[in-house]
Amino acid sequence: MLRVGIVGLPNVGKSTLFNALTKQAAKAQNVPFTTIDPNIGIVAVPDKRLARLTEISESEKITPTTIEFVDIAGLVRGAHEGEGLGNKFLANIREVDAIVHVVRFFDNADIIHVDSSVDPIRDVETINTELALADLATVQKMRANLEKKIKGKDKESLILDTLLTKYEELLSAGKPARDVVLTEQDEEVQHMVHLLTAKPVLYLANVSESQIASADSLVKEFAKQHSPVLPISVKIEQELVELSDEERTTFLAEYGLHATGLERLIQASYTLLNLITFFTTGKQESRAWTVQGGSKAPQAAGKIHSDFERGFIRAETVAYSDLDTLGSYAAARSAGKVRDEGKEYVVKDGDVMLFKFN
């Protein structure tokens, strides 16, 4: 399951966003540190293709893929030294796959800002600096712990120290660990280093209802320094929760929107992490699966069960678009659209697959 951490300064709309995405009721108040322990919510990934496959196969069960959102405590200056809820905040970030960094663009005198004014670039730099300083401390501690092994010419320790040196230089210059250019040797030991700034980040610009129409131009300058950025009005998303599907469509149209913030956030998260969706379908169940872009057929099979990957023989594959157009698996087979793919086949988004294994 993809695990996404929602982070930002206090009072930028993190918990309100979390509530809107997950339809839960986490505390969201006009005071710093309302969130102490992280709130966790699992959300089904909306995908109209899955509903259509269920219809085609007359499936008894439909199982979407899911994302876990984690609403993490707000961060303040000095968090890397334990200020505010710094230690708790940083520990929670280490456990997620990607970060959605909520940045306040709306101006509302009734909602306290920890720095008394709205300045998106300053606010982002506050958090990025804290994460970088925490990572720098981690790297320096790891290097100190390697000293004895390095003196003993331990090969793995020497390679790891080379990578840590690169990280230290970059972090000292105020740049994130994700900017490091890795060699083949670095990649061998990269799994041993767990840094906050190595995680992929999506910036979510929290704009007001009145700003949503001009949001793209509003975030233009910000996006030159920090990207990717996704403008969303958390206030609008909060209101959408209470509406029926029909009312929701009308409400979105009034603001010139074609999809909810959840749908746009999930799409942006998938793009950020280079994830795609493939499907399995039949009378018993139609199901969506998430896999890394570039994955081969055996790896996709392994998402279902490790035995499928170990004993992989071939994958009977048809593109969703062909199955949708032709209306049935039999028709797709008759039209020559169902293919047998082997171990080297690279899975494509929307593939409908039936795995054969030993």
Side-chain angles (χ1 to χ4, degrees):
M1 186 188 302
L2 173 62
R3 204 161 194 253
V4 175
I6 302 173
V7 307
L9 291 173
N11 290 358
V12 297
K14 300 185 310 300
S15 293
T16 305
L17 173 68
F18 174 84
N19 290 341
L21 295 176
T22 63
K23 299 182 181 178
Q24 293 191 31
K27 289 182 181 178
Q29 298 175 14
N30 185 22
V31 291
F33 308 123
T34 302
T35 301
I36 297 177
D37 294 317
N39 301 303
I40 298 173
I42 297 173
V43 177
V45 175
D47 197 322
K48 294 177 181 177
R49 297 174 296 181
L50 187 57
R52 174 62 175 145
L53 288 174
T54 301
E55 178 187 329
I56 290 171
S57 299
E58 298 180 346
S59 305
E60 296 172 5
K61 182 181 178 183
I62 181 169
T63 306
T65 189
T66 57
I67 288 184
E68 184 175 282
F69 286 106
V70 185
D71 174 25
I72 298 172
L75 180 68
V76 295
R77 285 187 182 85
H80 72 284
E81 296 177 330
E83 288 295 323
L85 296 170
N87 293 331
K88 184 180 286 289
F89 176 95
L90 298 172
N92 291 332
I93 292 180
R94 293 186 197 282
E95 298 173 2
V96 302
D97 301 305
I99 296 170
V100 171
H101 185 160
V102 181
V103 187
R104 178 173 170 176
F105 275 74
F106 70 89
D107 201 356
N108 186 333
D110 294 330
I111 298 179
I112 300 165
H113 191 292
V114 290
D115 286 323
S116 304
S117 63
V118 175
D119 185 336
I121 291 177
R122 177 204 62 202
D123 292 351
V124 165
E125 287 175 352
T126 295
I127 286 191
N128 287 348
T129 297
E130 291 303 321
L131 298 183
L133 289 171
D135 278 349
L136 186 58
T138 297
V139 168
Q140 290 172 340
K141 184 177 180 180
M142 288 185 71
R143 291 196 70 195
N145 291 339
L146 286 175
E147 286 181 1
K148 287 184 179 179
K149 289 185 177 181
I150 289 172
K151 287 179 181 177
K153 305 297 182 183
D154 179 73
K155 184 179 178 182
E156 185 179 67
S157 297
L158 288 167
I159 295 172
L160 179 57
D161 189 61
T162 299
L163 174 59
L164 291 172
T165 301
K166 291 180 183 179
Y167 280 136
E168 186 171 1
E169 290 173 355
L170 204 65
L171 291 163
S172 296
K175 296 180 181 179
R178 72 183 74 91
D179 287 354
V180 165
V181 179
L182 299 173
T183 64
E184 285 187 16
Q185 276 196 328
D186 292 337
E187 289 176 354
E188 291 176 10
V189 295
Q190 185 191 15
H191 67 280
M192 301 170 68
V193 190
H194 305 286
L195 299 179
L196 303 168
T197 62
K199 295 182 184 295
V201 177
L202 171 67
Y203 294 96
L204 190 151
N206 185 7
V207 300
S208 67
E209 293 168 290
S210 60
Q211 291 172 322
I212 193 66
S214 58
D216 289 339
S217 60
L218 181 66
V219 304
K220 190 174 181 180
E221 287 303 312
F222 175 86
K224 289 179 181 178
Q225 297 183 48
H226 305 288
S227 64
V229 56
L230 177 68
I232 286 180
S233 172
V234 173
K235 185 71 167 65
I236 290 176
E237 298 305 314
Q238 189 179 28
E239 293 176 27
L240 286 172
V241 173
E242 307 298 327
L243 303 178
S244 65
D245 289 344
E246 186 177 342
E247 290 171 327
R248 190 177 294 118
T249 301
T250 303
F251 189 76
L252 286 170
E254 290 176 2
Y255 288 98
L257 300 171
H258 303 289
T260 66
L262 173 62
E263 292 168 326
R264 290 186 289 134
L265 177 55
I266 288 175
Q267 181 58 55
S269 299
Y270 269 53
T271 300
L272 177 70
L273 293 168
N274 187 29
L275 300 176
I276 62 172
T277 302
F278 74 92
F279 303 95
T280 53
T281 187
K283 187 73 175 176
Q284 186 176 2
E285 180 186 40
S286 285
R287 183 163 182 166
W289 305 86
T290 299
V291 69
Q292 196 78 32
S295 295
K296 294 183 179 180
Q299 292 172 287
K303 290 291 181 180
I304 300 173
H305 198 289
S306 57
D307 287 348
F308 284 25
E309 182 173 6
R310 283 195 295 268
F312 180 89
I313 298 173
R314 60 187 173 89
E316 200 173 81
T317 308
V318 57
Y320 166 80
S321 56
D322 290 330
L323 201 53
D324 178 39
T325 301
L326 295 167
S328 72
Y329 211 92
R333 189 184 295 280
S334 297
K337 299 296 184 180
V338 179
R339 318 177 307 274
D340 276 339
E341 301 290 0
K343 293 182 178 180
E344 296 304 309
Y345 176 70
V346 177
V347 179
K348 298 177 178 60
D349 186 68
D351 276 349
V352 182
M353 310 184 81
L354 175 64
F355 296 106
K356 306 291 185 180
F357 70 102
N358 188 354

